[in-house]
Amino acid sequence: MLRRRLAFLDAPSSFFYDADGRPVAAEQEDNPFRRGMLLVARASGAAERAWLAETITRLEGSGPAR
């Protein structure tokens, strides 16, 4: 389950898309509220990815779950 979540977070996505259907990056967003949402999501995603990677490594090193 943790690996599936990590794969999901690694897939490109955005809350907002341009007219051609491409995800909008925070640096491209002029609206300060949308830019804030994108920056918070980026930080949250980075923290979750780090936790997932650390937890997967720890669990794989400890052997089977009890």
Side-chain angles (χ1 to χ4, degrees):
M1 181 174 90
L2 298 179
R3 287 191 182 283
R4 284 195 312 262
R5 178 64 180 166
L6 188 56
F8 172 80
L9 290 173
D10 285 339
S13 68
S14 180
F15 293 114
F16 308 109
Y17 294 86
D18 66 14
D20 296 322
R22 291 181 300 241
V24 174
E27 295 77 15
Q28 299 168 326
E29 182 55 63
D30 292 330
N31 182 300
F33 301 103
R34 286 183 173 202
R35 186 171 48 253
M37 287 178 62
L38 293 168
L39 291 171
V40 168
R42 181 187 295 169
S44 176
E48 186 175 359
R49 278 190 293 282
W51 176 83
L52 286 165
E54 176 187 331
T55 302
I56 289 167
T57 300
R58 190 169 4 111
L59 290 173
E60 286 176 343
S62 67
R66 297 177 189 204

